[in-house]
Amino acid sequence: MNIHKSIKNLLSIEESIKSKILSKKIPQIIAVSKTFPLADIFPLIKHGHINYGENKAQEAISKWGEIKKTLPKIKLHMIGKIQTNKVKYVVSLFDYIHTLDNIRLAEKIANEQIKQNKKLKIFIQINIGDEKQKNGIDIDNLYSFHKQCTKDFKLEISGIMCIPPINLDRQNYYIQMSKLKDILGVQELSMGMSDDYLVAVKNNSTYLRIGSKIFGQRG
Ligand SMILES: *Cc1c(COP(=O)(O)O)cnc(C)c1O
């Protein structure tokens, strides 16, 4: 049998991770399938892979809306910027949100979850490199933001997420994330992409978001 390229890639990523894991917790691999059509994702689904990441609500609905009803095991992760007018679609389709980065969005998600009687697992996105153009909560505001999300809006905050600055040593950012996770008392760390997932694994990442290394370069 011919093994599909994406499966080969996934298996080799899993193999490379094994030697780097310090804790007992094996990180989940989110196959970031944004821009790829279902036809390219199917081999991985058939292989039994569960976690997939998308960054646009519209694209995710047209791609996953129907198929997800027939595949209840699949978990969808929202990893892109969420417009507040898209929240109802995001809550209805996705299982995880990795990009909660403002209070208005937190409130919208909370209201929508009540309406839909659904509770997503949510990550607070942190602007770990303190970059002007990047989304995410500043470290200084993290504690109060987290408290508002959990106490006022009753959101299930599973962990924190970051996209570190490019072209800089990622290690320091990931060490900092791991410390913030412990300070906040949350369980999960969403960090590490195709080019730095092993650095993330060494620093206790529990959700890796890997796209091109699995599916190939995006067009
Ligand atoms: C696209 C994307 C990824 C995956 O990037 P690759 O470099 O292809 O692995 C991970 N996280 C976020 C937030 C993304 O938008």
Side-chain angles (χ1 to χ4, degrees):
M1 197 183 75
N2 250 333
I3 298 182
H4 194 268
K5 191 95 176 81
S6 64
I7 299 173
K8 274 189 197 156
N9 292 340
L10 179 69
L11 292 173
S12 93
I13 290 168
E14 284 172 345
E15 197 56 42
S16 68
I17 287 171
K18 271 185 203 152
S19 59
K20 296 286 188 295
I21 295 168
L22 300 175
S23 65
K24 284 201 202 85
K25 195 159 177 178
I26 296 168
Q28 302 280 322
I29 296 172
I30 301 169
V32 176
S33 50
K34 66 187 184 194
T35 76
F36 289 97
L38 264 187
D40 290 349
I41 308 168
F42 256 125
L44 267 196
I45 294 174
K46 284 216 190 102
H47 172 72
H49 193 71
I50 285 175
N51 293 293
Y52 296 88
E54 294 284 343
N55 69 338
K56 294 201 175 85
Q58 212 69 53
E59 178 189 343
I61 292 157
S62 56
K63 202 193 284 184
W64 293 97
E66 286 306 311
I67 190 86
K68 193 162 183 282
K69 291 174 197 157
T70 69
L71 299 165
K73 280 197 185 133
I74 297 284
K75 300 291 181 206
L76 280 189
H77 298 254
M78 181 54 173
I79 61 168
K81 178 80 184 161
I82 302 170
Q83 260 111 43
T84 42
N85 63 347
K86 299 278 166 57
V87 167
K88 65 176 164 206
Y89 307 112
V90 171
V91 168
S92 96
L93 180 67
F94 285 86
D95 303 284
Y96 294 75
I97 289 174
H98 291 246
T99 45
L100 174 59
D101 64 354
N102 68 80
I103 276 297
R104 221 165 76 87
L105 181 60
E107 185 173 18
K108 270 259 175 184
I109 292 170
N111 291 340
E112 201 52 47
Q113 290 194 139
I114 292 166
K115 261 191 221 162
Q116 298 189 25
N117 191 25
K118 204 180 162 192
K119 204 151 192 188
L120 278 66
K121 296 186 194 309
I122 298 173
F123 290 75
I124 296 172
Q125 182 172 357
I126 299 179
N127 187 357
I128 196 71
D130 197 20
E131 298 170 281
K132 278 202 182 67
Q133 78 284 8
K134 276 261 174 78
N135 299 317
I137 298 292
D138 292 338
I139 295 172
D140 289 346
N141 300 330
L142 178 59
Y143 189 81
S144 65
F145 182 78
H146 174 259
K147 199 169 162 193
Q148 250 183 309
C149 289
T150 53
K151 296 277 184 318
D152 298 351
F153 299 127
K154 310 277 184 273
L155 297 180
E156 184 178 336
I157 303 298
S158 304
I160 51 178
M161 173 273 205
C162 79
I163 307 170
I166 35 173
N167 299 328
L168 283 173
D169 176 26
R170 311 284 168 86
Q171 172 108 334
N172 288 322
Y173 295 108
Y174 289 160
I175 290 172
Q176 209 179 346
M177 285 290 286
S178 186
K179 285 181 186 155
L180 288 171
K181 177 193 90 109
D182 292 340
I183 292 167
L184 273 190
V186 292
Q187 296 301 309
E188 312 292 349
L189 270 180
S190 168
M191 58 190 202
M193 310 185 2
S194 288
D195 63 346
D196 70 352
Y197 69 94
L198 288 177
V199 182
V201 169
K202 273 191 256 174
N203 291 285
N204 311 314
S205 174
T206 62
Y207 282 91
L208 307 168
R209 310 180 308 266
I210 302 181
S212 47
K213 192 115 189 158
I214 294 175
F215 293 109
Q217 286 305 320
R218 286 178 291 275

